Amino acid sequence: MFICENEPMCKHTSFKVGGPVRYFAKAETVEDLKAAMTLAREKGLPYFILGNGTNLLVSDKGYDGVVITFAGEFSAIEDLGNGAFKVGAAVPLGRFARTTLKQGFAGIHKLAGIPGTLGGAIYMNAGAYGQEIGSCCTQVKALDESRTVHEIPANDCSFGYRQSIFQKNKAIILSATFQLPAASAEGKTVANLEAELAECMAKRKASQPLNMPNAGSTFKRLDKGATDTPAQIAPGYYIEQAGLKGFRIGGAEVSTLHANFIVNAGGATAANIKTLSEYVQQKVADKFGIQLKREIILLGNFE
């Protein structure tokens, strides 16, 4: 297992910001993971499981704890046959989606543009363009805080919009098993799936600031909109109507392309990004009477 001290987290997050972490560990096996958890306990420190850092904002002060990232056995895709796959937590979601698409399986191909890992996708039940990772999941293998491995049926994972049971029980996702439908069963070919993916990628490129450091959607979709627009549940609509597109605090900016994205427009700090997100929440609340909830995870001391 690789361990280092005072690793700059700006190297490991899509925002390209964040101070040093006390200990940075790369686990290649479950035993490595347990050893990293033991290190955290012996040092009296918290730990955090890091995927691709694509939905994360780390404090400029860093994180006084142990950040654990996965490699090795967690990076494998195992083809179990007949559309069943076992996928390690460190596998990029795009790699899994494209691999299954090429083999003629549907169900998650539209998720190929999501930049996170499988573990992170399961944790937040990632979704896009009408597909969600939890919809084809059959089982999740996870390690609880007592170091016991559990195989949890998907029905017990409480998958919902951007949520799962793992946000509550704090179990560490090791891998997940999926059952995907054959494209032919849906009257489609691999070419059809590729065309659908290409359309999704084109929409993503046209509507999202992919050329600037960001962490995806800043705020979660609303359950319902404002009084005069109850059916409008897109946070970006309200942010744009509040006149906040292009608004900046330091190097952090509300994207001019998609209002629900905060970007690092150059030289932003984590404090800039957090302050801007809070400013957006306040302005939207003042104008529309609705409270936007952050989708991005905060890590470290922001006081």
Side-chain angles (χ1 to χ4, degrees):
M1 178 175 63
F2 170 82
I3 299 178
C4 66
E5 296 184 50
N6 300 315
E7 175 75 359
M9 287 304 293
C10 60
K11 295 167 57 177
H12 302 282
T13 65
S14 57
F15 266 132
K16 306 301 181 187
V17 301
V21 60
R22 180 81 171 276
Y23 295 98
F24 184 87
K26 183 178 290 185
E28 297 192 355
T29 65
V30 173
E31 291 309 308
D32 283 350
L33 171 58
K34 291 179 180 179
M37 294 168 70
T38 297
L39 170 67
R41 184 181 62 193
E42 290 176 346
K43 298 292 183 179
L45 298 171
Y47 61 81
F48 180 82
I49 305 300
L50 177 72
N52 273 357
T54 53
N55 195 42
L56 181 67
L57 180 63
V58 181
S59 167
D60 300 309
K61 299 174 184 177
Y63 176 60
D64 189 20
V66 180
V67 166
I68 306 170
T69 188
F70 289 160
E73 69 178 39
F74 300 108
S75 301
I77 299 176
E78 184 179 355
D79 188 343
L80 303 177
N82 298 317
F85 295 86
K86 182 179 179 181
V87 188
V91 172
L93 184 56
R95 176 184 157 209
F96 175 39
R98 292 179 186 277
T99 296
T100 56
L101 182 159
K102 290 178 181 178
Q103 293 186 30
F105 295 102
I108 62 165
H109 58 288
K110 294 181 181 180
L111 307 184
I114 296 176
T117 57
L118 188 281
I122 289 290
Y123 180 86
M124 67 174 294
N125 190 25
Y129 304 109
Q131 294 183 341
E132 289 183 336
I133 192 70
S135 64
C136 294
C137 179
T138 57
Q139 179 178 277
V140 177
K141 188 174 181 180
L143 183 75
D144 68 20
E145 292 186 310
S146 69
R147 321 293 176 83
T148 302
V149 175
H150 299 271
E151 294 183 344
I152 307 168
N155 288 341
D156 295 332
C157 290
S158 301
F159 287 123
Y161 173 69
R162 301 297 181 267
Q163 65 182 14
S164 74
I165 196 173
F166 304 102
Q167 296 169 9
K168 298 178 181 179
N169 68 13
K170 306 302 181 183
I172 300 171
I173 298 160
L174 307 176
S175 65
T177 305
F178 298 85
Q179 181 63 57
L180 302 178
S184 57
E186 299 183 357
K188 297 178 181 179
T189 64
V190 171
N192 295 146
L193 301 185
E194 289 177 339
E196 289 177 0
L197 171 56
E199 181 181 1
C200 292
M201 294 299 288
K203 288 180 180 177
R204 187 178 291 271
K205 185 176 180 180
S207 64
Q208 298 179 8
L210 303 181
N211 63 330
M212 303 179 78
N214 69 82
S217 296
T218 304
F219 302 102
K220 295 180 181 180
R221 186 181 68 196
L222 298 163
D223 293 329
K224 62 179 180 179
T227 303
D228 57 345
T229 54
Q232 178 55 262
I233 60 174
Y237 169 83
Y238 295 102
I239 298 169
E240 184 169 353
Q241 291 301 306
L244 294 172
K245 259 191 172 183
F247 185 84
R248 291 181 65 154
I249 292 179
E253 178 183 273
V254 176
S255 171
T256 57
L257 190 61
H258 192 311
N260 196 24
F261 280 63
I262 289 178
V263 300
N264 181 348
T269 64
N272 290 159
I273 295 167
K274 179 175 180 288
T275 301
L276 180 56
S277 71
E278 292 169 343
Y279 181 85
V280 168
Q281 286 175 309
Q282 187 60 57
K283 289 297 182 182
V284 169
D286 290 346
K287 186 175 179 63
F288 298 104
I290 56 177
Q291 185 62 49
L292 299 179
K293 296 180 180 179
R294 256 194 311 258
E295 188 168 307
I296 296 167
I297 297 169
L298 303 185
L299 182 67
N301 181 11
F302 283 86
E303 298 301 322

